[in-house]
């Protein structure tokens, strides 16, 4: 199965989330931290903003692009550059797969379910 966003990079991005994100202990807690406007659900922009912490942490020169030197080694050679726009597009695709009822938001149940 070909993925548009390297799975190893996604895992690496998740590993550099800020401590506040790593202290989440339940789905409700995770939803509360992602839910910036406190409406009880997570919008696409809230989802992308929250999951972009890792991208921002890895983007050492703050140019909006993760070049090979800013990405974790994969054992498969240098990775292609990844722009913030590409990263957010990938997150939008994942959000759409998790939004089971297609209402444009993730509730706690959808947030806890892995993307299909």
């Amino acid at each position: 199965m070909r993925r548009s966003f390297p799975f190893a990079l996604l895992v690496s991005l998740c590993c550099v989330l800020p401590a506040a994100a790593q202290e989440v202990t339940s789905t409700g807690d995770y939803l509360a931290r992602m839910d910036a406007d406190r409406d009880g659900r997570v919008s696409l922009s809230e989802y992308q903003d929250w999951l972009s912490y890792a991208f921002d942490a890895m983007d050492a020169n703050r140019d909006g692009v993760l070049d090979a030197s800013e990405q974790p080694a994969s054992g498969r050679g240098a990775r292609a550059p990844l722009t913030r726009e590409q990263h957010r597009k990938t997150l939008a695709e994942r959000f759409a797969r998790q939004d089971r009822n297609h209402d444009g938001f993730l509730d706690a149940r959808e947030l806890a379910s892995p993307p299909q």
Side-chain angles (χ1 to χ4, degrees):
M1 173 175 153
R2 181 164 163 70
R3 299 173 188 203
S4 60
F5 189 69
F7 184 72
L9 180 57
L10 179 60
V11 170
S12 298
L13 287 172
C14 292
C15 292
V16 294
L17 286 173
Q22 293 178 356
E23 295 171 9
V24 172
T25 59
S26 71
T27 302
D29 189 29
Y30 197 55
L31 181 129
R33 290 175 187 255
M34 291 178 79
D35 183 16
D37 64 6
R38 305 291 181 233
D39 66 353
R41 57 193 187 166
V42 175
S43 68
L44 173 59
S45 63
E46 289 170 326
Y47 185 84
Q48 289 171 317
D49 291 347
W50 180 259
L51 292 173
S52 290
Y53 281 122
F55 183 100
D56 295 338
M58 292 172 65
D59 186 13
N61 62 5
R62 304 286 182 241
D63 67 351
V65 178
L66 295 182
D67 59 37
S69 68
E70 293 171 319
Q71 296 182 39
S74 71
R76 288 182 271 164
R79 295 191 182 278
L82 176 69
T83 67
R84 181 181 317 286
E85 292 78 23
Q86 289 168 321
H87 173 67
R88 290 181 72 88
K89 181 182 179 223
T90 299
L91 292 174
E93 291 166 358
R94 189 168 62 174
F95 180 94
R97 289 191 307 270
Q98 280 185 264
D99 183 15
R100 300 280 193 302
N101 65 3
H102 309 289
D103 67 352
F105 297 92
L106 298 181
D107 59 26
R109 187 175 338 135
E110 290 169 324
L111 193 58
S113 300
Q116 299 274 324

